[in-house]
Amino acid sequence: MAGDGPSSGQERTMNYGKEHVAVYRTYAPALDGVRTIPESDFDGRDNTLLGMEVRVQVEGEEFLPSFSEGDNSKLVATDSIKNFIHHHMGEYEGATVEGFLEFVGRKFIETYSQMETVRVSADELPFEERMVPGDDGFEPSDVVFRVADGESGFGHVVLSRDNDGPVVEEQQSGMTDIELVKVKDNSFTGYVQDEYTTLPERENRTLYVALDIYWTYAEPADALGEEPERYVPPEQVSDIAQVVFDEVEVNSIQDLIYRVGERTLERFPQLESVSFEANNRTWLTVRDDLEGDAKVLREPPRPTGFQQFSMDHSDLEEAGQE
């Protein structure tokens, strides 16, 4: 943050906040009107049950006395921050995680003049409708949901104060904890072979990859979902990843995430960039002497490989010139 720092001249670190704030809303406004894409059947969600785990970090020079002098006269207790989040979940009239983060961050700055910057992030707490008997066979229940594991939407918003009030400085959306296994048609060949190489090349392997995918918008306001046709649902990005994995024979995880990034930017030109954190959890072959493509596999030992990569529309332009 800006301001007087230690005598070394380095910028001072000074912030505090509250994390792991779980908040739930029943019958939130529905997310309707999103644009559909060929890779996904997702066309909106009713938000009968909307949950998220929120983290808030606040910054401001007026908090310095609470650190240096034990003077808490400007300090908003983190318990109050938690209560503030819970209360304003009931005031939020939108339908997205990112929209709520911008809304509650803006309210913090408008309410507390000593807060100069507010960083708000959240992991969606997903729920799935349960199927129950209906008039025409099984159908989704209107009231019963399963607490879901695995994939989770993500949002991050940074707001600061200027003369006109709160402004969005940074924005990021995402889908985390995607785990995909493709049982064949994945290779890993052509890498450096030297005295340190013990891994054999594989022309056809089972590939197990864990993915976190993040994206930013050219216009941060598009992340809020107020114009649903401009909003990028995490469900659709996840569907793109699995469709590309199904369609393409890849020679590495690097190859896979690049192709997922290309497809995502093609489908959503309103995005500025897309980035990945991937982890290789590929099982090891125990037996491959069975009939056809059948194999016996086991969990890999640690350590595991990882990949990080980001790309934007310039990568599409370069690919078009080749």
Side-chain angles (χ1 to χ4, degrees):
M1 59 175 288
D4 295 335
S7 59
S8 64
Q10 294 181 346
E11 190 174 275
R12 185 194 303 280
T13 297
M14 185 173 64
N15 61 70
Y16 78 103
K18 197 76 164 180
E19 59 185 355
H20 305 304
V21 181
V23 60
Y24 308 92
R25 167 81 177 268
T26 58
Y27 300 103
L31 176 62
D32 293 323
V34 299
R35 185 173 63 87
T36 58
I37 60 173
E39 293 83 1
S40 178
D41 63 358
F42 181 84
D43 59 1
R45 73 176 81 90
D46 59 20
N47 281 338
T48 302
L49 182 54
L50 177 64
M52 62 189 79
E53 186 174 272
V54 181
R55 182 182 191 273
V56 175
Q57 174 181 311
V58 301
E59 302 174 7
E61 286 299 320
E62 292 189 61
F63 296 123
L64 180 57
S66 68
F67 290 88
S68 63
E69 303 170 22
D71 178 358
N72 293 333
S73 59
K74 294 290 187 178
L75 195 72
V76 181
T78 64
D79 188 68
S80 301
I81 289 175
K82 175 221 24 171
N83 295 337
F84 192 96
I85 294 168
H86 287 160
H87 174 80
H88 283 88
M89 184 60 146
E91 303 298 312
Y92 176 55
E93 297 180 354
T96 68
V97 170
E98 299 97 324
F100 174 69
L101 298 180
E102 190 271 348
F103 173 78
V104 75
R106 185 175 295 274
K107 291 296 184 181
F108 272 116
I109 288 179
E110 291 172 347
T111 303
Y112 301 106
S113 61
Q114 63 270 45
M115 294 183 183
E116 298 172 10
T117 300
V118 176
R119 302 174 185 271
V120 198
S121 60
D123 294 300
E124 178 194 8
L125 299 174
F127 299 90
E128 296 176 352
E129 297 171 327
R130 302 310 291 160
M131 302 299 290
V132 295
D135 295 336
D136 299 313
F138 280 83
E139 59 188 31
S141 171
D142 293 330
V143 294
V144 177
F145 297 82
R146 183 179 75 88
V147 179
D149 297 320
E151 298 181 6
S152 175
F154 170 80
H156 175 72
V157 178
V158 179
L159 298 100
S160 65
R161 180 187 305 278
D162 72 4
N163 293 333
D164 297 323
V167 294
V168 175
E169 297 285 354
E170 300 176 24
Q171 173 279 323
Q172 186 181 56
S173 301
M175 178 65 106
T176 62
D177 298 321
I178 301 169
E179 296 187 36
L180 298 172
V181 179
K182 187 176 181 181
V183 297
K184 67 172 188 174
D185 298 331
N186 315 282
S187 60
F188 188 47
T189 62
Y191 48 86
V192 172
Q193 299 282 342
D194 59 18
E195 66 269 30
Y196 304 106
T197 305
T198 59
L199 184 72
E201 292 191 338
R202 284 169 283 182
E203 297 285 350
N204 191 354
R205 63 173 176 167
T206 295
L207 182 57
Y208 179 175
V209 59
L211 279 175
D212 295 338
I213 308 176
Y214 303 97
W215 55 93
T216 61
Y217 292 78
E219 297 293 337
D222 288 339
L224 307 183
E226 294 173 356
E227 296 184 50
E229 68 280 2
R230 302 283 297 171
Y231 180 70
V232 177
E235 294 88 344
Q236 290 186 351
V237 176
S238 177
D239 288 343
I240 286 175
Q242 67 188 28
V243 168
V244 170
F245 203 9
D246 176 73
E247 292 177 348
V248 177
E249 294 187 19
V250 298
N251 193 34
S252 65
I253 294 176
Q254 289 89 334
D255 185 18
L256 172 64
I257 60 180
Y258 190 90
R259 293 168 185 256
V260 172
E262 279 187 315
R263 187 76 63 88
T264 301
L265 291 170
E266 289 169 356
R267 292 291 180 244
F268 304 114
Q270 67 269 40
L271 295 184
E272 181 177 67
S273 66
V274 59
S275 60
F276 300 86
E277 294 188 17
N279 186 268
N280 185 354
R281 301 181 183 175
T282 297
W283 300 318
L284 301 181
T285 300
V286 177
R287 291 188 60 185
D288 60 2
D289 59 343
L290 307 178
E291 183 177 350
D293 292 318
K295 296 177 183 177
V296 177
L297 305 132
R298 65 176 176 84
E299 292 282 347
R302 291 188 175 185
T304 57
F306 68 90
Q307 301 77 23
Q308 293 182 322
F309 189 72
S310 65
M311 56 194 301
D312 57 29
H313 287 277
S314 66
D315 292 287
L316 301 186
E317 294 167 4
E318 291 173 5
Q321 294 172 358
E322 295 176 357

